Amino acid sequence: MTDAFSAAAEPTRRRILQLLAARPRTVSEIAADFPVTRSAISQHLLVLASAGLVEAEKVGRQRIYRVLSSGLQDLQAEIDRFWTHELDELVADAHALRREDT
Amino acid sequence: MTDAFSAAAEPTRRRILQLLAARPRTVSEIAADFPVTRSAISQHLLVLASAGLVEAEKVGRQRIYRVLSSGLQDLQAEIDRFWTHELDELVADAHALRREDT
DNA sequence: ACAATGCGTTAGTCGTCACTAACCTATTTG
DNA sequence: CAAATAGGTTAGTGACGACTAACGCATTGT
């Protein structure tokens, strides 16, 4: 799964990215925020890393994960490429309709 | 898979949404743009429909699919909720770094 | 040196996804 | 009415994703 969009879509990984965006964290720190095992988190991090969204820095016996801003940029570009002008116009229509309802 | 984000993330469904955003289409019209069978497309449309992203209007023996702007609005909200301020700042950093490279 | 800690890795399970092939139903057309 | 067309439906398959349990390997602390 090299596709950043698909990698980031998974709910657990979405939250991991948000946590890491706030500040870099160790694996255990991240895992503490989730009901699943550390192993599961570790594997999610692997997916995110292979999509170029995070990287790990080895410090002592810890691995500090951080978001890779370059990968994040790619993700944003991918989202933007998906979100065409036509899609944007349709959302604008929805807003307009809601305004008429009042 | 009720989650609009996950539903929209799948590459084929992403393209289907873009096609339908440009203009409503029949199933066969959509399927013509993909290498997979009409059945596969039909199932993708079911997923999109159950996520509230598209709807079908029955006209004669055709089914004209169109994007539901309300669902699209929800999707945008979901993406925006994911894309926190912190993530945005990191992307800004990436841009700044690239500028320094020159 | 030895125990504890942090984390990656692997094997295996279960569920789900994307897909095809085949079939069925409704509608239109000759 | 019969053939053709549009498309939903289902069963079955292969692959893969998310997860746990168990183990292995450094690194740190006693």
Side-chain angles (χ1 to χ4, degrees), chain A residues 22-65:
Chain A
R23 63 174 170 82
R25 285 160 211 254
T26 66
V27 178
S28 299
E29 264 181 314
I30 301 169
D33 270 55
F34 295 88
V36 300
T37 59
R38 186 183 49 75
S39 176
I41 299 299
S42 196
Q43 290 172 59
H44 277 307
L45 287 168
L46 272 189
V47 173
L48 291 173
S50 79
L53 287 169
V54 305
E55 74 179 348
E57 177 199 359
K58 194 178 171 185
V59 175
R61 63 185 161 191
Q62 329 203 73
R63 295 214 154 215
I64 303 184
Y65 277 87

Side-chain angles (χ1 to χ4, degrees), chain B residues 44-100:
Chain B
H44 278 306
L45 287 168
L46 273 188
V47 173
L48 291 173
S50 80
L53 287 168
V54 305
E55 74 180 348
E57 177 199 358
K58 195 178 169 186
V59 175
R61 63 186 162 190
Q62 332 204 67
R63 294 211 153 220
I64 304 184
Y65 277 87
R66 69 183 73 253
V67 172
L68 266 176
S69 51
S70 59
L72 213 59
Q73 202 178 340
D74 292 345
L75 173 58
Q76 195 182 43
E78 214 171 317
I79 293 177
D80 287 351
R81 228 177 303 125
F82 160 67
W83 202 270
T84 58
H85 184 60
E86 283 98 341
L87 285 167
D88 220 37
E89 280 184 339
L90 287 167
V91 172
D93 289 353
H95 282 126
L97 282 173
R98 192 165 285 182
R99 240 169 273 131
E100 276 177 23

